[in-house]
Amino acid sequence: MRRSIPLTAAALGITLALAACSGSADPADTETSAGTDATASGTLTMWVDDTRINEMEPVVAAFTEETGVEVELVQKASGDIGKDFVAQVPTGEGPDIIVSAHDGLGEWVNNGVVAPIELGDKAADFSDSAIAGVTYDGKIYGTPISIENIALVRNNALLTETTATTFDELVAQAKGTGTPFSVLIQQGEASDPYHLYPLQTSFGAPVFEQSADGSYTDTLALGGPAGEAFAAYLAKLGTDKVLDLAIDGDKAKQAFLDGQAPYMITGPWNTSAFAEAGMDISVLPVPSAGGQPAQPFVGVQGVFISAKSENPVLANELVVNYLSTEAAQDMLFEEGGRMPANAASAAKVEDPILKGFNDAGSTGAPMPAIPAMSTVWAFWGATEAQIISGQAEPAGAWNTMVTNIQDAVDKV
Amino acid sequence: MTDQQTVAPPAPPEEPGTRSPRRSRGDGSHARNFSAGFLAKLVLVALVDALGVYGILTALAVESWGIVAFLALALVVVNWVYFSRRAVPGKYLVPGLLFLLVYQLFVMAYTGYVAFTNYGDGHNSTKSDAIESIAIQTETRVEGSPTLPVTVVRSGDELGFAIVQDGEVEVGTADEPFAPVDGASVDGDRATAVPGWEVLGFAGIAEDQEAITALRVPLSDDSADGSVRTQDGSTGYVYQPTLVYDPETDTFTDTATGETYTPSDSGNFVSEDGDRLTPGWRVGVGFDNFTRVFNDPRLTGPFLQITAWTFVFAALSVATTFALGLFLAIVFNDPRVRGRKVYRSLLILPYAFPGFLSALVWKGMLNPKFGYINEVLLGGADIPWLTDPWLAKVSILMVNLWLGFPYMFLVCTGALQSIPEDTIEAARIDGAGRMRILRSMTLPLLMISVAPLLISSFAFNFNNFTLIYMLTGGGPNFVGTPVVVGHTDILITMVYSVAFESGTKQYGLASALSILIFVVVGLIAWLGFRRTRTLEEI
């Protein structure tokens, strides 16, 4: 109570000062500040998740030094950024900029909360898959900053060579080491379609059809004989105990750290922990299970601008003109160690692990950002879990799932 | 901000019974009588007023008229109540009433309002926001058009762009297409000074951002050539809208095909062929959200099964926790038990942990492969505690028993101790046995005070979202149902799955369903309370 006196006074003062400021339209005032000044005042609010805030800090500090524009970084849980962005932008309380994976883009566009940007010639500085990730309906909505995908990670202390050309051979080789697990793929009670996707695509059952320019249509492609074959394969992996719903992300990581498996299908977010534990690892593409290339989802981390930002010019200056540059992406890489989306920066990366992920992802498929995708996840995971645990008959459950997803997508 | 004005505790009221003769002569006016209490009241109310005024100013700045009106009214009421002599009961009631208004009535009214709209993904905001978004999203860069280094210039209040075309500086504004100007200086491909115009630097641009990003300078007299706009104040591109909004007819028209999109009842611009533009906006949809659960064949099947389990879960939760709590209370109420205080304190522990934390810990302990229960207690057994439909239900009830019995134990202990010893003694002298005393004396007397708590416990468990969500997440899922819900889902977690986790967020549907659940719970509680009144007539 007592503290609120100065607070209130200060707040009143600021309010009055603001009111006075907005009223000062006389030319004498503006002439002094406008014109030759190279730096501007203003504050941008940027939402970043906990894993990226440290690498973003020095980069925006450099931007502030260059332009005088303050950037306030707000740390959010990565799962909340997209959700809260949709909820808060319409109220006018949202951030100017968010850093997020691109898979929520369709939802943001559909809700009118994200503003398109014009990368212009700078688009050529990025790889095609990076640009594809931040493009929706033919328009670019964000600057890509890093690319991520999963791949096969090998513990060189257990195995030093991988000659397997199929996933079955890989499992057989891994079982030869006598470790408790063969190829770790993280699951959970609702399975994990993301980590199983390379296997699924190797049967030729991608989730959605892609049109000629690589963008996704909302026609499901995961059904049919290819899907049934994958479902049967999942059931087989379940009975062979390669896949186990009890092994979630943390347990899989710990098991691999403990040397309980020669292989693990995982992403670069786990490899730094492996390196810190002193493990010698190699990163390889996932071998095909169904005969066709095993394509992981490629996720693009992008920086997006709110449709209702009060500082559109400053936000564009940061997102389009600054964060897209080679220098800024180099700096992000140095701080965070993630594969930069800028092609020139990526070419400089020499880390064999990151290069391994990059090679594995070069044939990958961009994660669909269409709103229909968000409907797919729950059905997909639940059905895969039921097939793996043997609760459901594979082909039948898979076909029911396809029908249910189609119903739900049509309903949207 | 709205709750700030209620922070002040009620100022010391004037006791109604102590009207001194001096006061009745009118000398008690505050103008003449500055007691310490009055000064304290003055300061507190002044603080509340200051906060309120700050709230009003802030709300004014963001044009939230509802909040302005509410705060103004609340301030008037607070000041009148605390400075008037006639509002003594008000002095006690006002803070509570204001809290009730903000935290209960407003939330309820807002939920009720949302239940009648289609608020959710794709209908996220207002119509004007939707129009603005559609306009931005459909403005496309003219194919093959060049990147133009743009210089933002100003003359008086008018903003314009200066570009360099074939070595010559051209200036244009919103009304005037680009036209050459003489005497301008150029640095590379960018104009640096333009006679008659003031060139804005980055700082100048930063001060007028929204006007600059909104500015469209036509490339030529022919509007088909498109117009130049900039998003960063330094680079411009030529754009052409593919959809144009006409405020007079309230329609969007496709510039290429001439197709018009008119606003529909469901809150979207829709063409005659049924093509919808997104985003849409929030509109009222009447009782659609309420009837959907009965009309949508995808929902009705699991809905009945889940309703049945919800009742079973809530009833069994109350029954088991009450039985165990009562048993332990009776045991530890016996003076012959040694160390009762220690036992009692230990038994209350589960109640002291936050419920969601306990649920998570239990989830880990029940993991079939790594969980403590299978691994250590059962020596490596492979019992699917949380993944088998029946075992998952049993696990939920057991965990809820662990979480809930301390409360019942506490309540029963208190109630037992308030039963007068001499009535029990009298029964014993009359020759009643132990069971007879328990059945005919202790339980009925206990029920008088405990029955209402059992009803509220039922209502609580009926909506025990935390436990289900944290322990099983509703799983194991039904095989092949058209909505992803599971064997242990109760109504409120089903609402969450359907309205949020199914991919599209549907706040309208969620609000409507939670109101339906409220009606059910309210009805049960009302019936229960009516019955308990008969208990009191013993």
Side-chain angles (χ1 to χ4, degrees):
Chain A
M1 239 4 238
R2 200 167 292 157
R3 229 179 20 167
S4 59
I5 304 174
L7 246 182
T8 314
L12 262 175
I14 290 167
T15 319
L16 293 175
L18 280 177
C21 281
S22 56
S24 68
D26 60 318
D29 222 27
T30 39
E31 217 125 299
T32 48
S33 57
T36 51
D37 267 357
T39 58
S41 57
T43 304
L44 291 169
T45 310
M46 185 174 193
W47 284 357
V48 186
D49 71 36
D50 48 336
T51 65
R52 280 189 174 71
I53 191 158
N54 289 335
E55 66 190 74
M56 205 41 101
E57 240 156 37
V59 180
V60 297
F63 175 75
T64 304
E65 203 166 298
E66 208 172 283
T67 59
V69 178
E70 300 281 341
V71 182
E72 190 197 336
L73 293 177
V74 179
Q75 182 178 326
K76 305 268 293 181
S78 60
D80 290 347
I81 290 185
K83 226 167 43 186
D84 291 357
F85 191 54
V86 171
Q88 292 192 17
V89 167
T91 67
E93 302 288 323
D96 297 295
I97 298 167
I98 59 167
V99 182
S100 172
H102 79 278
D103 53 330
L105 180 59
E107 189 190 339
W108 305 331
V109 175
N110 203 19
N111 281 312
V113 294
V114 64
I117 62 169
E118 191 57 66
L119 282 179
D121 303 337
K122 297 186 193 82
D125 298 344
F126 296 93
S127 68
D128 290 345
S129 57
I131 291 296
V134 293
T135 305
Y136 186 78
D137 247 358
K139 283 185 100 62
I140 294 177
Y141 282 88
T143 297
I145 53 169
S146 69
I147 302 183
E148 278 172 350
N149 56 273
I150 53 172
L152 183 71
V153 179
R154 182 180 68 205
N155 182 346
N156 291 337
L158 293 169
L159 284 176
T160 48
E161 218 179 339
T162 304
T163 50
T165 50
T166 67
F167 195 74
D168 286 328
E169 286 173 33
L170 188 80
V171 172
Q173 187 207 14
K175 284 195 167 159
T177 59
T179 48
F181 302 103
S182 50
V183 183
L184 283 166
I185 305 177
Q186 73 172 59
Q187 297 293 304
E189 270 151 41
S191 187
D192 196 321
Y194 175 82
H195 282 86
L196 291 172
Y197 197 63
L199 299 183
Q200 184 175 337
T201 46
S202 77
F203 282 89
V207 58
F208 286 111
E209 274 175 16
Q210 275 175 293
S211 50
D213 63 345
S215 63
Y216 285 96
T217 67
D218 56 9
T219 311
L220 290 171
L222 77 179
E228 288 175 16
F230 170 64
Y233 191 70
L234 269 189
K236 175 175 156 305
L237 291 181
T239 38
D240 292 353
K241 293 281 168 205
V242 176
L243 296 178
D244 188 337
L245 297 186
I247 299 170
D248 61 16
D250 290 337
K251 298 201 176 82
K253 182 180 175 185
Q254 194 56 46
F256 192 73
L257 276 170
D258 295 344
Q260 292 184 0
Y263 293 111
M264 177 172 178
I265 293 183
T266 189
W269 46 88
N270 272 341
T271 48
S272 51
F274 301 156
E276 273 166 34
M279 291 175 78
D280 175 23
I281 53 170
S282 301
V283 178
L284 312 157
V286 179
S288 167
Q292 298 185 35
Q295 297 179 291
F297 274 135
V298 176
V300 177
Q301 293 288 333
V303 193
F304 302 90
I305 301 176
S306 157
K308 291 189 100 179
S309 168
E310 284 171 11
N311 300 298
V313 172
L314 303 184
N316 269 280
E317 183 68 25
L318 173 60
V319 172
V320 179
N321 294 346
Y322 186 75
L323 288 176
S324 65
T325 60
E326 193 183 329
Q329 301 231 337
D330 279 353
M331 206 147 126
L332 281 172
F333 171 70
E334 268 165 43
E335 302 287 337
R338 291 165 208 263
M339 199 66 191
N342 183 299
S345 295
K348 284 186 272 186
V349 174
E350 277 166 9
D351 180 24
I353 292 176
L354 279 186
K355 276 170 100 168
F357 278 113
N358 204 32
D359 291 345
S362 59
T363 57
M367 177 98 98
I370 54 177
M373 187 64 196
S374 53
T375 314
V376 175
W377 288 113
F379 287 105
W380 203 8
T383 308
E384 289 189 349
Q386 285 161 356
I387 292 173
I388 292 167
S389 62
Q391 283 178 53
E393 186 269 313
W398 195 263
N399 288 328
T400 312
M401 174 194 82
V402 175
T403 319
N404 284 338
I405 297 177
Q406 194 64 58
D407 277 358
V409 169
D410 292 344
K411 198 101 192 165
V412 170
Chain B
M1 274 305 116
T2 45
D3 55 304
Q4 298 290 19
Q5 74 281 2
T6 56
V7 169
E14 290 120 314
E15 284 89 346
T18 59
R19 286 227 174 102
S20 64
R22 208 163 63 89
R23 274 195 185 175
S24 61
R25 283 200 304 271
D27 281 340
S29 154
H30 288 316
R32 295 179 206 165
N33 178 16
F34 292 108
S35 69
F38 173 72
L39 282 177
K41 176 165 88 177
L42 198 63
V43 169
L44 285 174
V45 176
L47 279 177
V48 170
D49 285 352
L51 274 173
V53 170
Y54 168 57
I56 289 176
L57 288 175
T58 319
L60 271 176
V62 294
E63 299 182 0
S64 299
W65 307 117
I67 296 178
V68 172
F70 171 77
L71 282 180
L73 196 68
L75 278 190
V76 170
V77 169
V78 166
N79 283 286
W80 179 75
V81 163
Y82 287 108
F83 289 111
S84 157
R85 290 279 191 78
R86 282 180 297 167
V88 175
K91 290 175 193 183
Y92 292 96
L93 289 177
V94 159
L97 282 177
L98 284 174
F99 275 118
L100 186 75
L101 213 59
V102 173
Y103 288 112
Q104 298 277 327
L105 295 181
F106 171 73
V107 175
M108 278 154 64
Y110 193 72
T111 309
Y113 156 71
V114 170
F116 290 96
T117 69
N118 60 354
Y119 178 32
D121 266 343
H123 300 274
N124 199 30
S125 193
T126 59
K127 189 175 177 183
S128 60
D129 278 354
I131 292 169
E132 203 177 309
S133 289
I134 293 172
I136 297 177
Q137 286 173 9
T138 54
E139 197 173 25
T140 45
R141 190 176 162 192
V142 175
E143 227 163 285
S145 63
T147 304
L148 300 166
V150 159
T151 308
V152 183
V153 292
R154 174 163 54 197
S155 165
D157 280 342
E158 193 168 34
L159 285 166
F161 293 148
I163 57 171
V164 181
Q165 296 268 55
D166 307 324
E168 210 178 352
V169 173
E170 295 184 6
V171 172
T173 64
D175 308 320
E176 294 287 320
F178 283 105
V181 283
D182 294 328
S185 43
V186 177
D187 178 21
D189 51 8
R190 191 178 287 277
T192 50
V194 185
W197 295 87
E198 171 204 348
V199 172
L200 294 187
F202 188 54
I205 291 168
E207 275 175 17
D208 227 350
Q209 297 179 49
E210 281 173 69
I212 289 167
T213 47
L215 181 61
R216 304 281 184 274
V217 178
L219 202 60
S220 70
D221 285 328
D222 182 6
S223 68
D225 284 347
S227 49
V228 173
R229 70 162 176 157
T230 179
Q231 281 177 307
D232 58 5
S234 58
T235 322
Y237 299 95
V238 186
Y239 283 87
Q240 187 67 276
T242 50
L243 285 172
V244 179
Y245 179 69
D246 181 359
E248 284 192 3
T249 55
D250 193 23
T251 55
F252 270 100
T253 308
D254 191 313
T255 49
T257 62
E259 195 164 29
T260 54
Y261 294 80
T262 46
S264 72
D265 288 342
S266 61
N268 276 102
F269 283 102
V270 182
S271 74
E272 273 180 26
D273 306 343
D275 285 343
R276 273 188 319 165
L277 299 179
T278 57
W281 59 94
R282 254 192 255 189
V283 290
V285 292
F287 281 92
D288 278 8
N289 288 323
F290 291 91
T291 53
R292 240 187 83 183
V293 69
F294 307 107
N295 291 344
D296 189 339
R298 302 188 314 139
L299 292 180
T300 39
F303 177 73
L304 292 177
Q305 212 168 339
I306 285 170
T307 310
W309 161 240
T310 309
F311 277 97
V312 171
F313 163 73
L316 282 181
S317 291
V318 176
T320 51
T321 52
F322 179 63
L324 183 63
L326 179 64
F327 171 74
L328 290 171
I330 292 174
V331 169
F332 290 111
N333 206 34
D334 195 313
R336 286 170 298 173
V337 178
R338 290 185 172 209
R340 285 192 295 164
K341 282 194 182 137
V342 179
Y343 284 126
R344 277 183 181 160
S345 323
L346 284 177
L347 284 178
I348 291 168
L349 271 186
Y351 190 45
F353 295 126
F356 68 93
L357 203 70
S358 309
L360 279 179
V361 170
W362 274 102
K363 183 183 181 168
M365 296 210 297
L366 290 168
N367 183 303
K369 195 140 219 172
F370 306 95
Y372 184 80
I373 294 188
N374 274 353
E375 208 56 359
V376 180
L377 292 185
L378 301 176
D382 193 14
I383 301 172
W385 289 110
L386 298 176
T387 42
D388 177 81
W390 286 103
L391 272 179
K393 287 179 176 167
V394 172
S395 303
I396 291 233
L397 287 171
M398 294 309 281
V399 172
N400 209 19
L401 173 63
W402 187 83
L403 283 170
F405 86 85
Y407 170 73
M408 293 297 181
F409 170 68
L410 271 182
V411 167
C412 290
T413 302
L416 281 177
Q417 286 172 350
S418 69
I419 296 176
E421 195 58 39
D422 44 359
T423 42
I424 303 288
E425 192 67 38
R428 199 170 292 143
I429 291 167
D430 284 348
R434 273 170 202 286
M435 286 314 289
R436 184 76 198 173
I437 292 177
L438 180 69
R439 221 154 26 91
S440 303
M441 300 295 302
T442 318
L443 276 184
L445 285 171
L446 196 72
M447 274 302 173
I448 297 173
S449 50
V450 175
L453 297 173
L454 294 185
I455 294 167
S456 63
S457 170
F458 180 88
F460 171 79
N461 279 308
F462 202 87
N463 280 331
N464 198 341
F465 178 85
T466 325
L467 175 74
I468 306 284
Y469 185 73
M470 290 292 177
L471 194 61
T472 63
N477 288 312
F478 292 123
V479 175
T481 46
V483 282
V484 183
V485 286
H487 290 276
T488 57
D489 262 318
I490 55 174
L491 284 171
I492 192 76
T493 55
M494 172 183 157
V495 169
Y496 187 77
S497 308
V498 170
F500 298 108
E501 286 187 330
S502 64
T504 42
K505 290 185 282 300
Q506 304 169 69
Y507 297 102
L509 180 67
S511 301
L513 293 183
S514 52
I515 288 172
L516 286 180
I517 293 175
F518 166 75
V519 170
V520 172
V521 176
L523 200 68
I524 293 167
W526 178 70
L527 285 173
F529 279 120
R530 249 178 39 149
R531 274 196 58 82
T532 55
R533 227 168 283 150
T534 59
L535 285 176
E536 288 171 28
E537 287 158 11
I538 292 176

